[in-house]
Amino acid sequence: MRDLLSLQGLSIQTSSDKRSLTADVNISLVEGEALGIVGESGSGKTLTALSILGLLPRGVEVVSGEINFNGENLLSLEPERLREIRGKEISMVYQDPMTALNPVMTVGNQLLEVLDYHNHEVKNPESHVRESLIEVGIPDPERALKSYPHEFSGGMRQRAVIAMSLLLSPKLLIADEPTTALDVTIQRQILSLVSKQRSRRQMSMLWITHDLGVVANLVDRVAVMYAGRIVEVGTTKQIFNSPQHPYTQGLLASLPVASSRSRSRLASIPGVPPKPWLVGQSCSFADRCQFVQIRCRESLPLLDAQGSKSVACFYPIASST
Amino acid sequence: MKREKNWVNYYLQSTSGIVGAVLVLIMITLSLISAFGLAPHDPLEQNPMDALQGPNGTYWFGTDQFGRDIFSRSIDGMRRSLSVALLSVGLATLFGVTLGVVGGYLGRWIDNIVVRTSDVIFAFPAILLALAIVNSLGNSWIDTSVAIAIVYTPIFIRVARGPVLSVKEMDYIKSARVLGYSSPRILGRHIMPNVFAPIVVQVALSLSWAILTESGLSFLGLGTQPPDASLGLMVSEAQALAAFAWWSLAFPSIFITIVVIGLNLVGDGLRDALDPARRSTS
């Protein structure tokens, strides 16, 4: 299958003082595939997602690399064409459902505007919008359409936001921690809702999160980002069963396990991630790694592909299976 | 699907809003009566024989020291005051909101110029600046309006710019961009409605301030010139008479009070009617 989206050597810097925020990020996504990008705050996962849509905040820019989507390089597109792609072919769901809908427009009008603006050929836009609300599990869509966002709960709002992002049947959905602001039961419902819609629509998905537990049952592959670089990529199974990068292993060890009866503290990784622009030519994880060797401090390990899996480590942990 | 209920319906549900609208409409009607020359007397005509009469059947609000009909002068003054207030606040809103919204949305040097310029205007006391401008422009009601507009524009810049700055960082504006909407559309349909409420309130308040500023300018001998009537000028002329001819001071003052209260009530009502979060609770 061909790649729907591929980022090649994507590096993002601040425009003023040339601080590197992400370096040499390579990600590819075939049609219908779901990829999770996992990383801490400041690891560059959100910037990477925003760069795909050409919506990097002011003062931050892509300095090298390519973003190919469906055969077009998004970085060199005309603004007109880019606007067409946004919403129609790529859409995004944000973290905080409380601010993701315009408080002075009814939910119905916001949904209709999407169809209206993109001149979507739908015979009956209103029934199309109503169906989209039913699909995301909003009861009584008739009433929901006439409601204002403040009349919705957080979970309902996120459902409405998801309905809005699916309205034009995008090929790719980018989700930036859409469940973080919700409580766990709602979180579960939203995850299964997204899962269901994705498989029904054969849609690709990029799911950004700091929580490995969230992506476990949701995505096909996982990319782990650390200090602006991808340190490990593999299928979800590979990442969870046999993590090779010490950082990935540390992340997994820090997850609470429901079945565990031990009263010991959760494992944690000592220290804090370095600023991406201060790493230089060494492994960015070296200072926190328990297996660190001299070579790790002297040169930068690159992503080394072995079949479906790659890891950026000189001394990857041997798979336990 | 039935579209959202009209904001007019919500406005009409509030008693104070209706009262405000009625008060303002009465004042506008009286101004129109004067504008079409339908006042019971000529506001400028002097009848020395009838000077300083209390309210009676012929002179409903009494007469001043020249025997001029205070009712006719009051509604003529209302016409002049309202015209100045509407024109000045209209200009200030147009320029202030445009500059504030554009500056807040685009940021960078445009914003810098807008903010610095309004800071400079803010640095002068309002009445002093208005005095200086009226002095250099002239005394017609349009000159007065322009002067007041210049003084009030920075207020509208601030009122519009602040909310734009906070709203443009909201996720729904980001997602409007993700949805591919153009900048003018984002500004017009998504940002403007969110900054509308404070602007409407500011307009209503400024209208009443503008009436008071015009009165102040007339009082100081600029703005409306005798023998023309403006509410402020009538109040200042009546000061010497108030002790023995209360009506000469009372009626123009009551007119000012009524129109200011009316405009404030309208402003409150509009704010409530235009904000979806407020109207569902009422």
Side-chain angles (χ1 to χ4, degrees):
Chain A
M1 256 193 285
R2 78 197 174 98
D3 287 348
L4 177 70
L5 174 79
S6 78
L7 311 190
Q8 279 157 20
L10 191 76
S11 300
I12 300 174
Q13 285 184 359
T14 57
S15 344
S16 52
D17 44 8
K18 305 286 169 216
R19 287 180 167 179
S20 164
L21 298 173
T22 74
D24 200 22
V25 170
N26 292 296
I27 287 175
S28 64
L29 203 58
V30 297
E31 267 171 52
E33 187 183 37
L35 173 76
I37 302 185
V38 181
E40 292 170 65
S41 306
S43 60
K45 55 194 193 305
T46 299
L47 283 181
T48 304
L50 289 177
S51 70
I52 297 168
L53 290 157
L55 291 172
L56 285 174
R58 211 166 261 163
V60 174
E61 58 189 12
V62 173
V63 286
S64 64
E66 254 180 60
I67 302 175
N68 287 306
F69 177 77
N70 221 2
E72 287 176 283
N73 185 358
L74 293 185
L75 291 175
S76 58
L77 277 186
E78 298 288 310
E80 289 291 303
R81 175 78 188 121
L82 190 60
R83 277 221 303 275
E84 236 174 79
I85 288 179
R86 289 179 200 161
K88 233 176 187 171
E89 297 180 29
I90 306 178
S91 69
M92 184 156 179
V93 179
Y94 281 94
Q95 183 170 355
D96 186 3
M98 290 306 173
T99 63
L101 292 167
N102 192 334
V104 298
M105 284 172 82
T106 59
V107 171
N109 280 345
Q110 297 191 45
L111 288 163
L112 284 172
E113 191 185 9
V114 178
L115 294 179
D116 185 41
Y117 187 77
H118 287 281
N119 299 319
H120 203 58
E121 300 293 319
V122 186
K123 277 194 211 88
N124 189 344
E126 288 176 5
S127 70
H128 184 75
V129 164
R130 214 175 294 128
E131 275 158 31
S132 74
L133 287 178
I134 295 171
E135 270 184 357
V136 296
I138 291 181
D140 198 356
E142 210 56 54
R143 226 184 92 213
L145 287 177
K146 281 182 241 156
S147 304
Y148 284 91
H150 72 271
E151 297 166 301
F152 276 15
S153 66
M156 286 279 278
R157 285 189 208 192
Q158 200 61 298
R159 283 171 195 271
V161 171
I162 290 170
M164 195 157 146
S165 62
L166 297 180
L167 212 49
L168 296 172
S169 307
K171 293 194 179 77
L172 171 67
L173 178 71
I174 299 176
D176 187 3
E177 309 210 30
T179 58
T180 314
L182 304 171
D183 65 58
V184 270
T185 35
I186 308 295
Q187 196 168 347
R188 249 207 113 68
Q189 291 170 11
I190 297 287
L191 288 177
S192 76
L193 163 73
V194 170
S195 247
K196 214 168 79 192
Q197 289 299 323
R198 183 176 81 83
S199 55
R200 200 179 70 76
R201 294 162 184 266
Q202 293 289 304
M203 179 175 67
S204 303
M205 189 163 75
L206 206 57
W207 191 281
I208 295 160
T209 181
H210 62 265
D211 187 352
L212 264 176
V214 165
V215 293
N217 297 311
L218 188 69
V219 299
D220 307 314
R221 286 193 308 138
V222 175
V224 180
M225 278 192 87
Y226 185 79
R229 286 175 183 275
I230 289 182
V231 294
E232 186 166 7
V233 192
T235 63
T236 311
K237 210 171 163 187
Q238 286 166 337
I239 294 284
F240 276 83
N241 292 347
S242 54
Q244 287 188 295
H245 198 282
Y247 177 64
T248 315
Q249 201 188 38
L251 274 187
L252 283 169
S254 69
L255 284 181
V257 182
S259 59
S260 152
R261 301 193 59 185
S262 84
R263 299 174 138 259
S264 61
R265 304 182 116 226
L266 287 172
S268 64
I269 307 172
V272 289
K275 305 285 177 218
W277 57 91
L278 295 178
V279 172
Q281 285 302 306
S282 68
C283 173
S284 53
F285 192 59
D287 288 339
R288 301 170 77 188
C289 183
Q290 50 180 323
F291 310 112
V292 64
Q293 313 260 345
I294 297 168
R295 190 178 166 205
C296 303
R297 299 193 190 277
E298 285 172 347
S299 55
L300 180 74
L302 296 174
L303 264 186
D304 181 22
Q306 301 146 358
S308 63
K309 154 144 219 184
S310 18
V311 60
C313 182
F314 293 126
Y315 308 101
I317 299 157
S319 49
S320 50
T321 47
Chain B
M1 189 189 79
K2 202 168 146 273
R3 288 294 174 116
E4 64 190 282
K5 211 167 157 189
N6 202 322
W7 61 268
V8 176
N9 295 344
Y10 286 97
Y11 183 88
L12 293 177
Q13 281 170 10
S14 102
T15 321
S16 61
I18 294 173
V19 170
V22 168
L23 292 180
V24 172
L25 281 178
I26 291 174
M27 289 301 145
I28 291 175
T29 313
L30 289 176
S31 308
L32 288 177
I33 288 175
S34 175
F36 289 114
L38 299 172
H41 300 271
D42 180 348
L44 301 181
E45 190 191 51
Q46 305 190 358
N47 287 307
M49 301 296 288
D50 295 339
L52 292 175
Q53 288 193 12
N56 59 47
T58 323
Y59 303 111
W60 301 335
F61 285 4
T63 57
D64 64 6
Q65 72 272 39
F66 302 114
R68 294 178 296 197
D69 179 35
I70 289 183
F71 177 74
S72 303
R73 283 181 72 72
S74 291
I75 61 174
D76 197 46
M78 177 61 68
R79 175 183 65 83
R80 200 165 271 116
S81 296
L82 275 181
S83 316
V84 170
L86 286 176
L87 181 62
S88 61
V89 173
L91 289 174
T93 309
L94 182 68
F95 289 108
V97 170
T98 310
L99 289 172
V101 167
V102 169
Y105 185 69
L106 295 180
R108 290 181 291 192
W109 59 270
I110 298 176
D111 193 36
N112 247 320
I113 292 176
V114 169
V115 173
R116 299 296 157 228
T117 314
S118 65
D119 281 350
V120 168
I121 298 179
F122 262 126
F124 293 97
I127 199 87
L128 196 67
L129 184 59
L131 269 177
I133 300 169
V134 171
N135 247 329
S136 56
L137 288 178
N139 281 323
S140 80
W141 71 277
I142 294 181
D143 299 327
T144 312
S145 307
V146 169
I148 297 175
I150 293 176
V151 174
Y152 283 0
T153 297
I155 299 174
F156 283 95
I157 290 180
R158 291 219 165 160
V159 166
R161 182 177 166 269
V164 169
L165 284 182
S166 69
V167 166
K168 78 167 180 178
E169 295 304 325
M170 293 287 180
D171 281 349
Y172 58 87
I173 299 302
K174 291 187 204 153
S175 63
R177 258 183 242 139
V178 173
L179 285 165
Y181 296 165
S182 61
S183 283
R185 188 187 188 91
I186 292 175
L187 261 178
R189 261 183 80 89
H190 296 266
I191 294 185
M192 278 310 285
N194 278 293
V195 304
F196 209 59
I199 292 172
V200 166
V201 177
Q202 190 61 48
V203 166
L205 287 175
S206 300
L207 280 173
S208 42
W209 291 346
I211 287 174
L212 298 176
T213 307
E214 194 275 337
S215 304
L217 286 173
S218 308
F219 181 86
L220 291 168
L222 296 152
T224 311
Q225 297 296 312
D228 283 340
S230 94
L231 291 175
L233 192 58
M234 290 177 73
V235 170
S236 79
E237 283 175 344
Q239 277 189 332
L241 307 171
F244 47 92
W246 58 269
W247 56 88
S248 61
L249 180 63
F251 290 110
S253 307
I254 290 172
F255 267 36
I256 294 181
T257 312
I258 290 176
V259 74
V260 169
I261 289 179
L263 288 169
N264 276 300
L265 291 177
V266 168
D268 285 357
L270 281 176
R271 180 196 59 202
D272 292 350
L274 292 170
D275 184 351
R278 273 173 191 273
R279 62 191 182 207
S280 66
T281 54
S282 58

